[in-house]
Amino acid sequence: EQKKTFLPLLLESEGAVASCCITEEKGGSDTASFKTTARREGDHYILSGAKVPIINGGDAVFYVVWASSDTGRGRAGINAFIIPRGTPGVSVSGYHDKPGLRCAPTVTVSLDDVIVPKENLIGLPGSGYLLLMQTLDWGRAFFGAICVGLARAALEEAIVFAKKRVVVNRPIIKNQGVSFILAEMATEIDAARLLVWRDCRLMDLNEDYTRESSMAKLFASEAAARATSEGMMIMGQSGYLEPHLMAKFQRDAQGLRILEGTSQIQKMIIASQL
């Protein structure tokens, strides 16, 4: 019933979006320490707290919010709720100015005694933490795919420039100092792509993919950061001066190293699965 009600909203011609409300100001990677609470009263829950920074906040047609229904139970007390836009008590403030990923508005989403019917609880009571881990595992693979696309775009820009830029009567791509960098970039991007494909294949087979998802996200995000940085070096002032795409690519790549868990968090996850 929830899928029938809410998912069609994301398929509208104007391109509606949803918003995933996980992060809190002091929570960070400690996903079991939610300060946002969900108190059960009769046939509804009352949610209070704040989520920040939240991507698509203010533009979302609905929010998926994680909250603790019993702070004494830790992870077992975490639940996830669907909250439609316009629900009384939901407010958006503090649009954050970011160096990268500027196309996605990022805000603070505040919940002031928001009444949510029990029908909007996702899954069984207490299943929110498991749902969160599954959501992040999926998201890391897809963020890895975004990183592959970003790195590929940076590589293509750098190759076009290196072929056109002529110094001492020859294109700079003829110099090993440039061509070897491009070769390394191309190799890393293909490796990242294969890691993402492997992870998605495991998803299709309904097999465990937690480690592989973090591997894909870790390698692809670092590859994107290296590709955009090396691309900037190859292009020199042409890439550094605004409004060139390479400058935007580099800023976006740094954000992708943080979203869905930093590279250090991915290493922790991978190590725990060895």
Side-chain angles (χ1 to χ4, degrees):
E1 291 302 316
Q2 291 172 348
K3 291 179 180 179
K4 291 178 181 178
T5 300
F6 293 103
L7 293 187
L9 299 176
L10 305 181
L11 303 176
E12 296 177 354
S13 58
E14 59 267 25
V17 296
S19 189
C20 187
C21 299
I22 301 173
T23 311
E24 297 182 357
E25 185 175 11
K26 296 183 179 180
S29 299
D30 185 3
T31 52
S33 64
F34 292 129
K35 300 300 182 183
T36 300
T37 60
R39 185 176 74 254
R40 177 72 184 267
E41 288 192 2
D43 60 355
H44 62 268
Y45 289 84
I46 299 179
L47 273 65
S48 296
K51 298 291 186 175
V52 58
I54 301 302
I55 292 177
N56 291 335
D59 290 347
V61 291
F62 64 86
Y63 300 88
V64 178
V65 179
W66 272 264
S68 176
S69 295
D70 184 351
T71 55
R73 296 175 60 199
R75 295 175 178 176
I78 295 174
N79 288 312
F81 303 86
I82 304 174
I83 303 179
R85 179 170 61 189
T87 299
V90 179
S91 61
V92 172
S93 62
Y95 280 84
H96 299 276
D97 187 14
K98 310 187 297 297
L101 303 175
R102 297 174 66 87
C103 61
T106 304
V107 302
T108 298
V109 176
S110 299
L111 308 165
D112 185 12
D113 290 339
V114 178
I115 297 176
V116 180
K118 61 181 179 61
E119 290 79 14
N120 285 23
L121 169 70
I122 302 177
L124 297 172
S127 66
Y129 185 78
L130 176 60
L131 175 64
L132 175 59
M133 293 299 100
Q134 292 173 337
T135 300
L136 292 175
D137 281 347
W138 273 71
R140 284 166 185 147
F142 300 148
F143 266 82
I146 294 171
C147 292
V148 169
L150 177 61
R152 178 181 172 183
L155 174 62
E156 291 174 352
E157 286 284 327
I159 290 174
V160 169
F161 179 86
K163 288 181 177 180
K164 290 183 177 181
R165 176 75 165 117
V166 175
V167 177
V168 192
N169 297 322
R170 66 188 240 158
I172 63 173
I173 198 171
K174 298 294 185 179
N175 301 324
Q176 286 186 353
V178 173
S179 63
F180 281 14
I181 292 174
L182 294 172
E184 290 174 357
M185 289 166 62
T187 302
E188 287 189 353
I189 292 168
D190 267 13
R193 182 183 290 109
L194 290 171
L195 282 171
V196 171
W197 283 353
R198 179 183 68 165
D199 189 25
C200 292
R201 177 61 174 163
L202 291 174
M203 291 182 187
D204 289 342
L205 296 175
N206 291 319
E207 296 183 9
D208 181 49
Y209 54 87
T210 296
R211 184 184 70 172
E212 288 75 13
S213 185
S214 285
M215 285 180 171
K217 194 322 184 138
L218 169 64
F219 192 86
S221 64
E222 293 299 326
R226 284 191 292 271
T228 56
S229 179
E230 295 291 2
M232 179 73 76
M233 291 296 289
I234 290 172
M235 301 186 73
Q237 65 175 1
S238 297
Y240 187 73
L241 297 177
E242 295 287 8
H244 199 281
L245 275 175
M246 192 62 74
K248 176 186 183 300
F249 291 161
Q250 191 174 43
R251 296 194 303 268
D252 289 349
Q254 294 305 317
L256 292 170
R257 296 176 72 204
I258 298 172
L259 292 171
E260 292 285 330
T262 65
S263 293
Q264 290 75 17
I265 291 298
Q266 305 312 318
K267 292 176 183 178
M268 290 174 57
I269 296 171
I270 295 166
S272 71
Q273 299 291 313
L274 297 178

